[in-house]
Amino acid sequence: MAFEGLTERLQNALSGLRRKGKVTDADLRETMREIRLALLEADVNFTVVKDFVRNVREKAAGAKVLEGLNPAQQIVSIVNDELTAMMGESEVPLNVSDKIPTVIMMVGLQGAGKTTTAGKLALKLKSEQNARPLMIAADVYRPAAIDQLKTLGEQIDVPVFEMGTDADPRDIVRQGLAKAAELKSDYVFIDAAGRLQIDETLMQELADVKEIAQPDEILLVVDAMTGQNAVETAEGFNERLDVTGVVLTKLDGDTRGGAALSIRAVTGKPIKFVGQGEKTTDLDIFYPDRMASRILG
Ligand code: GDP
């Protein structure tokens, strides 16, 4: 289960407070110290942790929590609110264009889950809104990426536009968009190139594709299991492409939670969806408040 370690440590820190009838300032300081360590151990970004601790302390002081009734319960509630705020308050829906098609560009490092997520999201739109998506195979570098997208397309019954691996991704995207107009597709997914690491050639290509496709949504797909590296990757892509949303994948295997807790605060971009498994239906809308409750256990 995700966040196991963090949940246990936060519960321990807060149950220490709950056991006390009266909570002193020293008790609160000790609890905040434990929470700080728990978050750092969960690989949450250092600055994010610092801000979090400061905010909780200020809110507790401002509300004169220690003088009131049931201070422990109030502190738990402040911690819950701040965790939620750290992840973005409320869910942010997919950007949708007022004329078809809505163009969604998927970016991210190789192996993050771009292709899989494009398929998952296309299926979600198809089954929930009767949408008619088209997926464009523009990742010409990863061996077998195009075949993978084609197989996925067959599995979820969504057409895939491809021109093989020898074509230039810019041409693929231009012609793919023409195909979408012909098919009257309402959503277009561009499965853009990924690399093992961010490099200038990749970024230039993605910037060109962005220019050509004028996407309504640029979804950055990051692997939650890579923790702070995921956050750094997100910053790199965002600086260059100004992404509109993040998809955190492999949350099912993420035992620490650092990426989920830091990405919004560090990049300012909302996590819109989370991938929680390998099946085509394992994609969920990201609700910061539900995630905070889940983390607090
Ligand atoms: P891409 O290179 O970014 O297109 O990555 P892929 O879509 O090929 O995904 C890489 C691997 O991660 C595949 O084996 C996927 O099945 C797996 N994967 C993607 N999303 C998730 C997820 O949410 N949970 C799990 N457990 N595996 C995932």
Side-chain angles (χ1 to χ4, degrees):
M1 223 284 271
F3 309 141
E4 237 169 34
L6 180 58
T7 298
E8 195 184 329
R9 290 200 54 169
L10 289 178
Q11 279 179 345
N12 284 344
L14 292 165
S15 70
L17 272 192
R18 279 200 176 106
R19 275 198 302 274
K20 293 182 194 294
K22 190 175 176 318
V23 178
T24 65
D25 194 50
D27 294 331
L28 178 58
R29 253 203 314 276
E30 174 57 19
T31 302
M32 290 318 295
R33 197 185 69 86
E34 285 170 27
I35 290 179
R36 182 174 164 275
L37 289 175
L39 291 171
L40 288 174
E41 210 162 276
D43 204 21
V44 179
N45 174 278
F46 181 77
T47 312
V48 174
V49 175
K50 232 171 76 177
D51 291 347
F52 174 84
V53 170
R54 195 191 54 230
N55 290 347
V56 173
R57 286 196 62 91
E58 275 173 8
K59 285 206 170 148
K64 295 195 187 308
V65 158
L66 300 183
E67 294 161 29
L69 275 174
N70 207 343
Q73 192 47 47
Q74 287 190 56
I75 289 165
V76 173
S77 148
I78 293 173
V79 167
N80 182 64
D81 289 351
E82 282 304 308
L83 279 178
T84 306
M86 201 159 142
M87 293 183 286
E89 303 288 355
S90 54
E91 72 275 19
V92 182
L94 193 69
N95 293 342
V96 177
S97 165
D98 46 19
K99 55 179 197 311
I100 65 161
T102 291
V103 178
I104 303 169
M105 181 172 164
M106 312 292 296
V107 300
L109 294 182
Q110 217 174 74
K114 261 186 319 329
T115 308
T116 311
T117 304
K120 285 176 175 178
L121 194 51
L123 177 64
K124 196 175 176 62
L125 291 165
K126 209 172 110 102
S127 47
E128 289 175 7
Q129 306 176 14
N130 249 332
R132 294 150 34 93
L134 171 73
M135 302 195 286
I136 300 178
D139 184 352
V140 294
Y141 305 105
R142 183 162 67 85
I146 297 179
D147 285 342
Q148 185 190 340
L149 194 66
K150 276 166 64 183
T151 308
L152 196 57
E154 277 164 24
Q155 202 183 329
I156 62 176
D157 195 21
V158 166
V160 171
F161 179 84
E162 57 112 350
M163 290 167 60
T165 51
D166 293 334
D168 186 293
R170 298 160 187 86
D171 292 334
I172 299 175
V173 168
R174 276 192 205 95
Q175 297 198 35
L177 289 169
K179 186 73 186 175
E182 186 190 315
L183 294 175
K184 299 193 170 56
S185 311
D186 45 11
Y187 288 90
V188 173
F189 288 88
I190 301 174
D191 189 21
R195 295 278 164 84
L196 291 174
Q197 58 194 38
I198 296 177
D199 62 51
E200 181 45 36
T201 321
L202 167 69
M203 281 302 179
Q204 188 55 52
E205 182 180 308
L206 296 177
D208 290 350
V209 167
K210 176 182 174 182
E211 181 65 31
I212 293 164
Q214 301 284 321
D216 303 287
E217 182 87 73
I218 303 181
L219 285 181
L220 172 64
V221 179
V222 292
D223 176 345
M225 286 166 71
T226 61
Q228 280 315 292
N229 286 337
V231 179
E232 273 167 38
T233 306
E235 270 188 293
F237 274 95
N238 189 39
E239 269 165 25
R240 188 65 190 268
L241 296 170
D242 192 17
V243 306
T244 53
V246 176
V247 180
L248 263 188
T249 59
K250 311 186 196 181
L251 212 63
D252 48 312
D254 176 29
T255 51
R256 297 206 290 172
L261 284 163
S262 319
I263 277 191
R264 172 65 192 244
V266 172
T267 64
K269 295 301 162 76
I271 301 173
K272 294 197 171 181
F273 298 96
V274 287
Q276 319 215 54
E278 290 192 89
K279 292 199 303 292
T280 49
T281 47
D282 292 333
L283 184 78
D284 298 298
I285 293 171
F286 181 73
Y287 296 99
D289 52 345
R290 293 186 200 169
M291 190 58 78
S293 310
R294 177 167 143 189
I295 290 169
L296 279 179

